[in-house]
Amino acid sequence: MKFHFALIYPEVKTSYDITNTVLDPLRDYLEGLNKSIAHYDKLFKINDYCLDLYISATRKQKDFVKGPITLSKRKRVEFVIFIPYKKFDSYTKTICYVLDNIAQGIIFIFNKYKTDSTGVQKVTDKLKALIASDPEKYQKWTKRE
């Protein structure tokens, strides 16, 4: 199973500055866990499908995870993870909060489908440690001038 991340922020002034410098390594770490969801393995008759995770911030009370939308012909499953919006005083704190919520969303999805979620929090913690050790590397594309 492959992972794909996209960001969607429909609420005004409710977003997080997260770029591919964060999402690409997260995807690589998650794919390295070699997870698959048995329900979709059976539905698609393969395990080479894509789990599309749309990340959104919200100030409203919403379900934490919405979905799935199953695109059988394209072999894709879509979920939206709604992260409760909070403002932090540093990029590192913000990204750690976002990554923790993404991990919890993925664990929620795996648990829903009785899939072993072992390793999800561990790879997220690994990425958080890398970001904390060099925040400039991960923040450089978010700076506004």
Side-chain angles (χ1 to χ4, degrees):
M1 178 175 68
K2 296 179 183 141
F3 287 82
H4 176 259
F5 292 98
L7 306 171
I8 183 167
Y9 298 118
E11 295 176 37
V12 176
K13 295 185 181 180
T14 307
S15 64
Y16 293 109
D17 290 331
I18 182 169
T19 66
N20 285 343
T21 57
V22 173
L23 295 174
D24 286 351
L26 179 60
R27 179 200 61 222
D28 294 343
Y29 292 155
L30 289 167
E31 288 179 2
L33 296 174
N34 294 315
K35 301 286 185 184
S36 68
I37 299 172
H39 172 79
Y40 291 107
D41 292 350
K42 185 177 177 182
L43 178 69
F44 297 140
K45 297 179 179 58
I46 60 169
N47 63 2
D48 188 28
Y49 53 89
C50 192
L51 186 65
D52 293 328
L53 300 172
Y54 292 88
I55 309 303
S56 188
T58 185
R59 294 176 191 263
K60 300 174 185 173
Q61 286 292 91
K62 292 188 177 189
D63 292 337
F64 182 52
V65 176
K66 287 231 181 197
I69 296 174
T70 304
L71 307 168
S72 296
K73 289 183 181 179
R74 294 179 58 208
K75 309 279 192 262
R76 299 183 90 88
V77 184
E78 298 177 346
F79 289 90
V80 179
I81 299 173
F82 289 99
I83 300 173
Y85 184 74
K86 289 185 183 179
K87 192 126 175 107
F88 293 91
D89 61 358
S90 77
Y91 178 78
T92 302
K93 287 179 186 175
T94 301
I95 290 302
C96 286
Y97 171 76
V98 169
L99 288 171
D100 281 338
N101 277 276
I102 292 171
Q104 291 308 307
I106 294 168
I107 290 167
F108 176 87
I109 293 164
F110 282 2
N111 289 342
K112 178 179 179 175
Y113 290 97
K114 296 174 179 61
T115 300
D116 178 25
S117 63
T118 303
V120 172
Q121 191 63 55
K122 185 176 180 180
V123 298
T124 304
D125 289 345
K126 178 180 177 180
L127 182 56
K128 288 177 1 188
L130 288 172
I131 293 168
S133 71
D134 189 3
E136 282 292 314
K137 175 181 175 181
Y138 297 91
Q139 185 180 9
K140 66 183 174 183
W141 303 112
T142 65
K143 293 185 177 177
R144 294 178 173 90
E145 299 192 25

